[in-house]
Amino acid sequence: MSGGITLLVDGEPVTGAPGQSVAAVLVAAGRPGGVFCGMGVCFGCLVTVNGERDVRACLRDAGDGDVVGTQPREPS
Amino acid sequence: MRRGAAPGGPGRTGRHVVIVGAGPAGFAAADWALAAGARVTLVDLADRPGGQYHRRPPGAPGPPSFERRRARVLAHPRCAWRSRTAVWALEQRDGDGDGGAGLPPLVHTLHGPADAADRPRAVLAPDALVLAPGAHDRVLPFPGWELPGVVTAGAAQALAKGQRVAVGRRVVVAGTGPFLLPVAASLLAAGARVREVCEANGAGTLAAGWSHRPWQLAAAGGKAAELLRHTALLARHRVPFRTGRTVVEARGEGRVEEVVTAALRPDWSVVPGSRRTLSTDAVCVGHGFTPQLELPLAAGCALDGGFVAVDGAQRAGAPGVFAAGEITGVAGAPAARAEGALAGWCAAGGDPAAPVLAPLRRARDQGRRFARRLARAHPVGAEWPGWLREDTVVCRCETARYGALCAAAADPASGDPRVGKLATRAGLGPCQARICGPAVAELTARLRGQAPPTDWTPHRRPIAQPIRLGELARPARSTRDAEQEEHDPHAPHGEHDPHGEHGEHGGRGQRT
């Protein structure tokens, strides 16, 4: 598909569309993870993007080739 | 003059107005502040104006009136549009010597991709500050709400409208409020199957609230027509809309797979024997909206009933500070636009008695009446805590459970709310009680035998948006430089950078 972007999420390629947020790409790929509020207030969707930790996936635009690591919460 | 548009006009008042938030309220404020002759710095986290209300896929145009406003505001020579910019703190200025008395706080900003590293800082020193940061969904906790796939109604809307992504394939929408209908409609448009829409309030409550003072409803005609359209769409798609019913549990392994719905009495207690299970892969829940109050609190604004208290000119009780939109009351976009226009005009030094403001005041008052109608038709029933179990998560960030809240409330040592907070950790996580605050406050009060708070003021959040230590350590661009660059079309920041050459995208321009 022309214009599609590909992210590497925990080592696996995941495709998305240009202009989508990282959260949108993840949700569309069936990985809703911690996405809850969708607008940056709940901090549930934190991921590591290209080495930057604690990025709110719902606020960050996805870029072609982005390396995304999920950050699971510690069990309590 | 076209209805709703700011008056064209001469005259510069020479004031610098900073507007935080470019949703309906903030965008209108910018339009009218410019019309009144001020220079404007408009700040928003997103890369385009419109806020949550005008979410749409990149490149897709908004409604004509919005596009006209966008053309007027963003291209205006006196407007600096600071997109992708977070306001992380407001700093009160000293009253001594440098004329700080009577001026609004300094505005500390970070510019760049969300939560990036090494974002440059800038400090703005406005003559007047308009706060329009909006609201976010309020969700009451219920068993299993922490499962992946359970999202707020607003998140479902943002994903569907802004990204063309359906949060699931077989979605249940639940909660209370007219917002559930447009969310269901957006989900259908994004290709999802909506299994059911559950409005917790019963038909009696809805009818009584909506039909209250019916002569006022005619004025809210536009809103009513919109809701009827959504209802018709749901009917066409055979989506059941159930009243007096809600989701009381979500279940699944690793992701929500089914929900339990139950019929509710008017007080929201569960009707025994009414539980039904529904298979689903996403649940969208909304119980109204909570205003985002950290910036108004930091600015010293007065609060009333859990919202910012404003006067007829949208002044918010702190010198030089104005407030508009959902933070003054959840009343929808038309009221937000009217309040924003008033706030922008007055903040810019425009005459508060100017006749051109009269239709704005009428629109605002109408919006407020509509908000009262909503509150009457979609209250939160007192017995929702009956849905909770010992192991129900009440604070998502810290996975603090209801049982811990009960134990802390029973412990006489934790009579002080702050001690209770430390014992349970509820509210101490990254979201700083934005999500759990009102619910935990209400539950704690009830467990202690106190009346639930009628409004809830969050504790102060001096850091309104996260900032990295490295960013804090680097000096900010001086206020003067920041102001000079804002109005220089060739400066490296903001929207005058169509080719992204100036380090706006992740990785480029960073030190290694």
Side-chain angles (χ1 to χ4, degrees):
Chain A
M1 170 185 15
S2 72
I5 61 176
T6 305
L7 277 55
L8 218 58
V9 178
D10 293 337
E12 288 179 38
V14 174
T15 53
Q20 285 184 332
S21 64
V22 173
V25 173
L26 294 173
V27 168
R31 301 165 175 254
V35 172
F36 181 68
C37 77
M39 56 182 283
V41 298
C42 78
F43 290 84
C45 63
L46 299 181
V47 291
T48 302
V49 180
N50 301 332
E52 292 173 345
R53 278 191 60 89
D54 302 332
V55 173
R56 283 169 283 178
C58 64
L59 294 181
R60 173 69 74 96
D61 285 345
D64 193 27
D66 277 349
V67 176
V68 176
T70 56
Q71 295 180 188
R73 291 257 174 85
E74 286 169 16
S76 72
Chain B
M1 179 181 67
R2 182 173 292 145
R3 191 174 156 215
R12 302 186 171 200
T13 64
R15 299 181 93 181
H16 178 205
V17 178
V18 170
I19 300 168
V20 177
F27 210 35
D31 201 359
W32 283 71
L34 290 166
R39 66 185 174 90
V40 167
T41 302
L42 177 63
V43 178
D44 199 284
L45 262 180
D47 62 351
R48 62 196 96 114
Q52 300 305 314
Y53 187 76
H54 287 291
R55 288 258 203 167
R56 57 189 27 83
S65 55
F66 175 78
E67 291 301 327
R68 280 193 298 271
R69 173 159 277 163
R70 183 213 275 261
R72 267 197 311 273
V73 171
L74 298 192
H76 199 289
R78 275 186 273 114
C79 179
W81 163 224
R82 313 282 299 180
S83 65
R84 289 200 171 94
T85 298
V87 174
W88 65 272
L90 297 180
E91 180 190 347
Q92 296 293 349
R93 293 189 244 197
D94 301 327
D96 45 58
D98 65 344
L103 285 175
L106 298 173
V107 180
H108 287 270
T109 69
L110 282 162
H111 174 77
D115 299 332
D118 292 335
R119 286 168 296 171
R121 294 202 283 132
V123 184
L124 305 170
D127 299 312
L129 175 64
V130 177
L131 295 175
H136 60 80
D137 298 80
R138 183 180 171 203
V139 176
L140 299 172
F142 57 91
W145 70 310
E146 72 278 14
L147 279 169
V150 179
V151 301
T152 66
Q157 180 82 324
L159 285 165
K161 291 186 75 177
Q163 317 271 339
R164 291 198 186 102
V165 168
V167 69
R169 283 197 277 268
R170 295 165 289 123
V171 185
V172 170
V173 179
T176 188
F179 186 50
L180 302 184
L181 289 175
V183 169
S186 299
L187 285 163
L188 289 169
R193 177 181 161 216
V194 179
R195 295 220 55 193
E196 196 161 285
V197 178
C198 292
E199 159 63 62
N201 283 296
T205 310
L206 297 179
W210 278 99
S211 63
H212 179 78
R213 293 193 186 152
W215 58 91
Q216 287 178 357
L217 245 188
K223 279 262 151 217
E226 194 187 314
L227 291 171
L228 280 172
R229 269 201 308 279
H230 295 314
T231 314
L233 181 69
L234 293 190
R236 263 206 309 285
H237 286 260
R238 301 204 208 297
V239 176
F241 177 78
R242 306 203 193 283
T243 57
R245 182 165 277 273
T246 200
V247 168
V248 291
E249 187 177 355
R251 297 177 185 152
E253 282 296 320
R255 184 187 178 134
V256 63
E257 292 165 342
E258 64 182 19
V259 288
V260 178
T261 67
L264 299 179
R265 300 193 190 92
D267 64 1
W268 286 24
S269 54
V270 170
V271 173
S274 69
R275 287 169 192 254
R276 292 205 292 260
T277 306
L278 210 51
S279 82
T280 180
D281 64 351
V283 187
C284 314
V285 193
H287 297 101
F289 297 96
T290 306
Q292 302 204 54
L293 294 178
E294 54 265 356
L295 293 181
L297 280 176
C301 295
L303 293 192
D304 179 21
F307 293 94
V308 180
V310 290
D311 68 7
Q314 303 298 133
R315 277 182 291 246
V321 181
F322 297 74
E326 304 285 83
I327 53 168
T328 69
V330 176
R337 282 192 289 267
E339 289 201 348
L342 281 165
W345 177 268
C346 296
D351 176 11
V356 73
L357 303 185
L360 297 175
R361 291 201 166 95
R362 278 197 296 276
R364 176 194 60 190
D365 294 344
Q366 199 180 93
R368 287 177 173 167
R369 282 194 292 270
F370 185 69
R372 284 196 288 275
R373 182 181 300 274
L374 287 187
R376 204 173 265 117
H378 299 274
V380 171
E383 296 309 315
W384 67 266
W387 312 341
L388 306 179
R389 299 196 297 246
E390 284 273 308
D391 65 352
T392 303
V393 170
V394 292
C395 162
R396 300 169 61 92
C397 291
E398 298 293 312
T399 321
R401 299 181 192 267
Y402 185 49
L405 228 61
C406 296
D411 179 353
S414 57
D416 184 297
R418 284 170 297 177
V419 177
K421 204 162 96 166
L422 287 170
T424 63
R425 295 202 56 80
L428 295 183
C431 94
Q432 296 286 282
R434 284 176 175 87
I435 301 298
C436 74
V440 168
E442 185 178 338
L443 290 171
T444 307
R446 290 160 70 105
L447 287 167
R448 297 214 173 99
Q450 296 156 4
T454 50
D455 58 74
W456 177 77
T457 302
H459 296 278
R460 291 174 185 273
R461 302 180 186 119
I463 309 289
Q465 288 287 328
I467 180 170
R468 297 179 189 268
L469 285 176
E471 292 166 330
L472 196 52
R474 279 166 58 192
R477 279 153 58 231
S478 78
T479 310
R480 187 159 310 173
D481 290 345
E483 290 180 353
Q484 188 143 17
E485 277 187 47
E486 283 156 27
H487 301 286
D488 173 3
H490 305 296
H493 289 291
E495 283 300 283
H496 303 291
D497 182 18
H499 304 295
E501 289 164 352
H502 296 287
E504 186 155 320
H505 298 287
R508 221 177 296 174
Q510 277 187 318
R511 294 190 305 251
T512 49

